[in-house]
Amino acid sequence: MKVKTYIVLIVLMLVSQVVVSQTVGTLSGVVRDASTNEILIGVTIYVESLKQGTSTDRDGKYSLKLAPGQYNIKYSFVGYETQQQTETIKAGANLRQNIKMRPDVAMLSEVVVSGEKANRNVSEMSMSIQTLDMITIKKIPALMGEVDVIKTIQLLPGVQAASEGSSGFSVRGGGTDQNLILLDDAPIYNASHFLGFFSVFNNDVVKDATLLKGDMPASYGGRLSSVLDVKVKEEVPAKLTGSGGVGLITSRLALQAPLFQHKTSLLLAARTTYAGLVIPFLGEKLRESNIYFYDLNAKITHEINANNRIYLSAYHGNDAFLMSKQMGVGYGNTSYTARWNHVFNERIASDLSLIQSNYRMYLDIFFDPYDFTVSSQLQDVSAKYNVTALWNENHTSHFGVTATFHNFGQGALNDRGGAVSQYLGLDRSVEVSRKSLEYGLYFSHEQKIDMRWSLRYGLRLSAFQNIGKEDFYLFDNNYNVYDTLHYAQGEIFHTEFQPEPRLALMYRLDEQSSIKASFSRTVQYLQVASNATGGLPFEVWFPSSPNVKPQTCGQMAMGYFRNFNNDAIESSFEVYYKTLNHIVDFKDAAQTYANLLIDGELREGKGRSFGFEMLLRKNIGQVTGWISYTYARSYRTVDDINFGKEYRSPYDRPHNFVAVLNYDITDRLNIAANWIFNTGQPVTYPYGQYSIGNVTYAIYNGTRNESRYPSYHRLDVSMTLKTKAKPWKKWESEWNISVYNAYAHKNTWAVTFEQGEDGTIITNKMYLFSAIPSLSYNFKF
Amino acid sequence: MKKILFYIIPLLLFVSCTEQIVIDLEKGDPLIGVEASFTDEYKRHEAIISYTSDFYSPESPRMVSGAHVYLVSEYDTIFYAENDNMPGHYLTIDSVAGMQGMNYTLYVDAFNGSDSVHLFASSFMNFNVPSIDSVLIEPFVVSGFQLPNIVCLYPYFQSLDDPTIVYMIKVARNDTLLSDTLTSYSCIPMAGYAGYYVNGPEMLADNMTIPVAYLSTKNLHNGDTITTLIYSIPLDYMAYIYSVSSSMGSNPMMGPPTNVPTNIYPKGQGVGWFYAASVASCKTKYNRTGGIFPWKEN
C-alpha cells in the first residue's frame, strides 16, 4: 500500500510537469572546445534582452525555450573567448546551434580552466558539491609524483583521509564504506592501488570528478555519505593524441584517436608500477618478494547520429604482493559500462546503461601446514534508465529506474594444508555466497519559482531483496545461533522498501550570492565486514538481511555562497547535521574474516554528525588555490560498545584546515604547495597492565576512542617546468619535482606497545612516510 | 581470524618506520588478576592472585595477600593456603586430583584496595586421551630443507571424538618445563579432526603434518628425557591464550583494541583465567648421534 502511494505520487508529479507551451521555439545544441573538440560543461548561454540563460549539462548540451523573435545570444566560459550570435526563433521550431569556443590565448597562461561554470556555486541549486577538473588535480603535489583524484578529494572541506596514505576517505563523519564511488557509472568497491597509496583512477583518462557530500540528487542511491562520480574522457579528438608519464615507481600511457569520419573516438590507457623490481634489493628477507599493480582503461564513444550516441567504457585493474614465497595478497576491480544516450527532442533525452562491476580479493599463505587461500568477491550487474526533461528554462526533471543484482562471494577458503580449517572448525573447502537484488525508482524536479527562489524536490524509492540459495542463521538476544533456515536457489526470502525523499531550496540574494538549504534521506543496503579504520584494501562486502537492517541517514544542510571579483574568488559557508540509524559496528574482538556467522558479530546503533565547512577558492589568475576550514564531529551509540553510551566515531576529527596554492610564475614554470592540518584520529588506549609470569597484557576500561593520536599535519610542494611550446612541435612535455611531507613530520599511523627485555612497556609510534621526493616526466602529443 | 591480519601487516611494515614515544595515559583503580588451573594430576594446585597495575608501571605486580581461595565441585570443597614464601601464590592445602567430566568453580574473596570483592570462575574438566602411544622427535624440515638446531615433536595417540576439545602442549626436559610462558604454549584444536588417530608426522588426515612443539637442539643432550604433556583444555582458554599474544597496541588495520577475555566474574572486577584440564604425558629419550628414536617410557 505504501509503495503504491509513492508510485501514484511520482506519476502525479510527472504529469504535472508536462505543460509545455506550443507558442515558443527552442534553441539547443552542443558546445565544444574548438581546438580539442572536448565538450564543455557549464558554459553560460545568456539572452541579454530577456536577462535569461542556461548552462550546458554534463554532455555539453543546452536548450533554451524562447518566444518567437530575434535574440542576441552570448556564450561565455572561463578561459574561452566569449561568442555572441544573433538567432531568429520561430514558433514551434527547434533551432539547433552547435558552438565551438576558442580558448582565450591571452588568458590561458594565467587561468586554471575549470570544468565548472564560473558562478556555479552561487547560481545552481546544488550545494555540498565539489567538481575538480584534471588541470586542477594535476597541479597539486602528489605522493611519489602520482597525481591522484582521491588524494585531491581528501583536500576538500568535509573530507578526511581515513589514515595516512590511504585511498579511503570519510565525508562529514561517515565511514569509508559509505561513499559511492563511480567510474563511468560503474561502482568501484575498492578504489585503492598499492595498499591505498594510489587510487584506481588514471589521471590521463579522467575528464573530471564530482563529489556530492550531502545534497544528493535522487538519481543516486545506495550509500549514506557521498557520491564520487568520476567520468572518463569521451570527446572525439581532432587527431590522434596521446599523453603519459614516467615516474619513479609508475609509468602510464593513454592514446585517443578519432575513427570513422570523426564520429567515433577510441581511448586506450594503461598504467603499471615497477616498484617490485626494487624490493628484492631492500634486504635478504625480501629477496623473493614482489609487488605490482596495473590498470587498463578503454572507452569507445560513437555518435550514431545527432540524436543517438553510444559509450562503451571498461576498466580492469589488479594489485598483487608476494612476500618471500610465503604469502601473497591480491585484489582488483573490473567494470564495464555500456550507455546509450538518446535525444528524443530538444527537451527530452535519456540514458540507458548496462553496467557490470566486479571486485575481488585473495590472501594466499604458503607455509605448510598453514597453506591456504582465503578469497572474496562482489559482482554487480545493473541496468539503469534515466530521463532528463528540460521542460523550459524554469523546469527540469530527472526520473528513472535502476536494478542491480549483487552476487556476494562473501568468503571462500581453500585450505591446502588443513591447519586453518582445523582451527576454524570448517571444511577444507568452504564457499559462502549470498545474492540480492536492489532497485531504485526515482523522480526529481527542479523549478525556478522566480528570479530569486528555486526549488528542487525528489523522491527515490529503493527496495532490496535477499535471494537464495542461502543457509540463513537466526540469532537470539545473546547473538547465538538458535536456528538455521535453508532457502532454495532463486527463492526471495526478505524484501525491504525504503523511501528516500530529497529537498533543496535556493534563495538568490543577488548575482554574486545565494543561500541554499537541503534535506536528504539516504539508505545503504550493503555493509563492509571490517572494523578497521584505515581503509583496508582487503574488504569483504555483505548484504543487509533480516538480521542486519539497512543503514539510513537523514542530512540537513544550509549554506551561504558568495563570489567576489567577477567570480574569480568564490566562498562558501555550510553547516550540516546528520542523523544515522541502524548503523553497524562490530562488537569488541569481533571476528570479521572468514566468518560464516558475521551477522552475530555486528551491533546495531545510531549516530550523529554535525559541523560546518568554510571555503575560499580562487580560480583565476597567476595564483590559484583554496583555503578551507572544517569543524566536524561524529558520534555513535551502539549496544554493547562503550557500555551503551555515545562514543566518538573513528572519523571524529574536529579541526581540519587545508591550504592549496598554485603559482604560475611564467608560462612554463609553476610551483604548488598544500598544507593540511587535522585533529588526531580517535584511539583507544589502555589504562593498566596485567602480568602473568613473563607476559604482560594491556587492560582497557571498556570505553572506546577516548584518546587521540597527535595532530596530523603535512606540507607537500612541487615544481613543474614545461618545455618550450613551439607551433611546429607536436610533442609537449614537462618535468615535475615534488616532495610529499616536505618537512618530514612523523605523522602517527599506529601506536604499538611491546614488552622490553627488562619487562617495562615500550610505546612505539609507527609512521609511514618521512619526506618523499619524487621526479616525474609527463608528456602529451 | 585476526591472526590472518598479522600476515598482512608486514605489507605496510616494509615502508614504515617506528619511533619510541611516551604517551600520557589515564590511571584507574586496580583490578584483581587470577591465574589458576586445576588438573587431574595428583599434586598441590596453584592459584596466583595479583593486582593489575598502571600501564607504564615498571615494578613487578603487587601480589594479593590474605585472600580466601577455595575450589568447589559437585562433591567437594578444596581450600587453598597462601605460600608463606611467595605472597599471592596460593596452593591447595593437600595434594588432590581433579576428575575428568566434572565442573569446578574457583572462588576468591579479596580486598582490591578500596572494597572487598567476591570473584569466581568456572571451568569444565574435559576428558583426555587415555595415553600417548609415543612421541617422535625429528629434524625440522621446511620445503625440503632441514633447518639446523631445531627439532620437532610428533605424538601418536587416539584423539577423542569431541570437536570442542583443544590439546595444549607443554614440553619438559629432564622434568623441567622448557617453556612455561602462557604465550609459548602450543594449542591444537581438533575441530573436524576429532576422533582421528594422530599419527606422528602423518598427523590427522591427508598430508597435514603439525609438529606439536619445536625445540632448540642447543640445550639438548643425548640421553635427555623429553616429556610431552598434552592438556585437554576448553576451547575458550585457547582463545584467551591467543588474545594475550595480540593484545598490545592500536592499529588502523585491526580495529579498536579490546580487552583480553576473562572468565573471572563479576565482569569488570577481575582479569585472568581459571581453567580445568586433564593431562596425558609421554617420555622420550633424545639421541642425536644414533638418529632419532621414538621411545616410550612405561
Side-chain angles (χ1 to χ4, degrees), chain A residues 321 327 363 417 422 428 531-534 536 538 591 688-689 695 697 700 709 746 749 751 761 763 765 767-768, chain B residues 1 4 7-8 11 15 17-19 21 53 55-57 181 189 191 193 206 208 247-248 250 252-253 255 259:
Chain A
F321 182 90
M327 186 190 79
L363 167 68
Q422 188 190 9
R428 291 178 65 168
N531 55 1
T533 55
L536 195 69
F538 325 104
Q591 190 170 302
Q689 57 156 288
V695 177
Y697 64 78
Y700 299 87
Y709 285 153
K746 295 167 183 173
W749 181 77
V751 170
I761 292 174
T763 306
K765 175 177 88 172
Y767 60 95
L768 294 182
Chain B
M1 205 55 188
I4 283 182
Y7 293 105
I8 297 169
L11 295 178
V15 294
C17 304
T18 57
E19 180 182 82
I21 58 167
S53 49
F55 188 67
Y56 283 123
S57 173
T181 308
Y193 296 95
D206 306 329
M208 181 178 167
S247 71
M248 302 280 263
S250 70
M253 295 183 83
N259 273 321

Side-chain angles (χ1 to χ4, degrees), chain A residues 163 195 197 279 282 286 291 321 323 327 329 363 365 367-370 372 374 417-425 428 531-538 588-591 593-594 681 683-692 694-702 704-706 709 746 749-755 760-769, chain B residues 1-5 7-23 25-35 48 50-59 61 140 142 181-183 188-193 204-211 238 240 242 244 247-261 271-272:
Chain A
S163 69
L195 306 168
F197 298 154
I279 285 189
L282 296 179
L286 295 170
I291 186 166
F321 182 90
M323 191 167 177
M327 186 190 79
V329 172
L363 167 68
I365 301 291
F367 194 77
D368 193 42
Y370 299 98
F372 63 92
V374 178
V420 171
S421 52
Q422 188 190 9
Y423 172 75
L424 294 172
R428 291 178 65 168
N531 55 1
T533 55
L536 195 69
F538 325 104
D588 286 348
Q591 190 170 302
Y593 283 81
Q681 193 174 323
V683 62
T684 305
Y685 281 141
Y687 81 97
Q689 57 156 288
Y690 175 53
S691 298
I692 325 153
N694 296 323
V695 177
T696 296
Y697 64 78
I699 307 286
Y700 299 87
N701 63 7
R704 188 177 280 194
N705 292 339
E706 280 218 319
Y709 285 153
K746 295 167 183 173
W749 181 77
V751 170
T752 59
F753 305 104
E754 60 179 327
Q755 208 170 348
T760 55
I761 292 174
I762 297 165
T763 306
N764 289 315
K765 175 177 88 172
M766 191 184 290
Y767 60 95
L768 294 182
F769 304 118
Chain B
M1 205 55 188
K2 248 183 171 180
K3 286 182 89 68
I4 283 182
L5 277 173
Y7 293 105
I8 297 169
I9 297 300
L11 295 178
L12 284 165
L13 291 187
F14 90 97
V15 294
S16 68
C17 304
T18 57
E19 180 182 82
Q20 202 168 316
I21 58 167
V22 175
I23 48 178
L25 297 179
E26 279 184 30
K27 292 176 180 175
D29 294 332
L31 303 176
I32 290 179
V34 177
E35 205 60 35
I48 302 169
S50 62
Y51 292 107
T52 62
S53 49
D54 291 340
F55 188 67
Y56 283 123
S57 173
E59 291 151 19
F140 185 29
V142 176
T181 308
L182 189 70
T183 50
I188 302 173
M190 294 306 289
Y193 296 95
L204 304 181
D206 306 329
N207 295 318
M208 181 178 167
T209 59
I210 303 180
M238 180 184 74
Y240 169 74
Y242 284 152
V244 169
S247 71
M248 302 280 263
S250 70
N251 183 323
M253 295 183 83
M254 301 286 283
T258 55
N259 273 321
V260 169
V271 294

Side-chain angles (χ1 to χ4, degrees), chain A residues 358-370:
Chain A
N358 175 278
Y359 160 65
R360 60 216 168 259
M361 62 77 69
Y362 68 85
L363 167 68
D364 278 330
I365 301 291
F366 315 104
F367 194 77
D368 193 42
Y370 299 98

Side-chain angles (χ1 to χ4, degrees), chain A residues 57 104 165 199 351 414 428 556 723 734 762:
Chain A
D57 64 11
D104 188 334
S199 79
D351 283 296
N414 176 18
R428 291 178 65 168
M556 285 181 291
T723 52
E734 63 183 31
I762 297 165

Side-chain angles (χ1 to χ4, degrees), chain A residues 732-743:
Chain A
E732 295 175 31
S733 61
E734 63 183 31
W735 288 94
N736 177 276
I737 302 168
S738 67
V739 185
Y740 180 89
N741 194 15
Y743 56 81

Side-chain angles (χ1 to χ4, degrees), chain A residues 169-184:
Chain A
F169 59 94
S170 163
V171 176
R172 293 184 170 174
T176 53
D177 61 313
Q178 293 174 356
N179 307 314
L180 177 63
I181 299 175
L182 300 171
L183 178 64
D184 271 347

